[in-house]
């Protein structure tokens, strides 16, 4: 049973509520956000941009669902074609949905989509060394480390080092 579905504009209110209700839990692993990000209008704008990028072939914005209820998101982003055939993967879950293998299943589904329908050669992920849960998900799903990037992303107002991991598609 799939745990991923494409996000829709109609999800704006639900996404805004998830971000508002779980703001403190999600804050340490994300960038600082403007207050309008947490509103239905802000999420409607964000989803519109993300869905336009999907139509253009640059990303795949997905809802993570459990028993029909959205509990997080996973995005295959920065899709680059040509000789690279690569993309990045990023994800989050609300706290009560963690620790049960849901994100592992979601990442496995995303990998299958990336290497199947999307025809990509490589997926990469970037994670802070302190994010042990995310590192476990990536390791369980076959991602391997290939480097470290100091001051890689501005997270919660500070430039943070990230571990770089990748997964290569099986040879065809």
């Amino acid at each position: 049973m799939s745990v991923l579905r494409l996000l829709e504009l109609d999800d704006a209110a639900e996404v805004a509520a998830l971000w508002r209700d779980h703001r403190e839990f999600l804050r340490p692993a994300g960038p600082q956000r403007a207050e309008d990000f947490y509103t239905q209008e802000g999420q409607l704008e964000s989803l519109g941009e993300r869905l336009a990028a999907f139509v253009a072939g640059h990303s795949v914005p997905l809802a993570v669902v459990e028993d029909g209820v959205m509990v997080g998101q996973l995005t295959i982003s920065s899709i680059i074609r040509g000789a690279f055939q690569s993309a990045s993967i990023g994800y989050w879950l609300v706290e009560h949905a963690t620790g049960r293998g849901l994100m592992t299943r979601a990442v496995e589904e995303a990998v299958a989509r990336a290497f199947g329908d999307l025809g990509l050669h490589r997926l990469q992920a970037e994670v802070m060394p302190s994010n042990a849960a995310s590192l476990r998900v990536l390791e369980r799903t076959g991602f391997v480390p290939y480097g470290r990037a100091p001051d890689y992303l501005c997270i919660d107002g500070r430039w943070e080092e990230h571990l770089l991991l990748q997964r290569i598609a099986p040879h065809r």
Side-chain angles (χ1 to χ4, degrees), residues 123-141:
L123 277 179
Q124 70 181 40
E126 304 84 15
V127 62
M128 291 185 298
S130 61
N131 192 339
S134 190
L135 281 170
R136 280 192 304 274
V137 166
L138 293 168
E139 289 167 356
R140 278 195 298 263
T141 55

Side-chain angles (χ1 to χ4, degrees), residues 26-32 128 153-160 162:
L26 297 170
R27 183 189 50 75
Q32 290 183 324
M128 291 185 298
L153 291 174
C154 189
I155 302 294
D156 197 27
R158 292 188 324 263
W159 288 98
E160 296 283 351
H162 281 63

Side-chain angles (χ1 to χ4, degrees), residues 82-139:
F84 200 36
Q85 296 297 324
S86 183
S88 291
I89 187 171
Y91 48 82
W92 58 267
L93 279 179
V94 297
E95 187 171 17
H96 70 268
T98 64
R100 298 193 313 268
L102 182 62
M103 190 52 76
T104 297
R105 290 196 320 270
V107 170
E108 287 171 345
E109 274 188 49
V111 166
R113 183 178 293 203
F115 295 159
D117 295 343
L118 295 175
L120 296 173
H121 168 71
R122 177 181 174 275
L123 277 179
Q124 70 181 40
E126 304 84 15
V127 62
M128 291 185 298
S130 61
N131 192 339
S134 190
L135 281 170
R136 280 192 304 274
V137 166
L138 293 168
E139 289 167 356

Side-chain angles (χ1 to χ4, degrees), residues 122-125 138-139 141-147 163-168:
R122 177 181 174 275
L123 277 179
Q124 70 181 40
L138 293 168
E139 289 167 356
T141 55
F143 283 76
V144 295
Y146 72 93
L163 301 175
L164 308 175
L165 296 96
Q166 67 179 1
R167 180 155 172 197
I168 304 296

Side-chain angles (χ1 to χ4, degrees), residues 11-78:
D11 292 324
E14 187 175 7
V15 173
L18 284 174
W19 277 107
R20 277 193 314 273
D21 294 348
H22 302 278
R23 184 177 189 164
E24 285 309 304
F25 175 72
L26 297 170
R27 183 189 50 75
Q32 290 183 324
R33 302 182 189 281
E35 284 304 312
D36 67 342
F37 177 84
Y38 300 95
T39 67
Q40 181 174 347
E41 296 77 19
Q43 285 304 312
L44 189 60
E45 181 179 336
S46 175
L47 286 169
E49 292 169 0
R50 295 174 71 198
L51 289 169
F54 170 69
V55 170
H58 301 299
S59 72
V60 183
L62 301 160
V64 179
V65 294
E66 183 176 49
D67 299 324
V69 177
M70 188 185 315
V71 292
Q73 291 181 19
L74 183 150
T75 303
I76 300 169
S77 62
S78 303

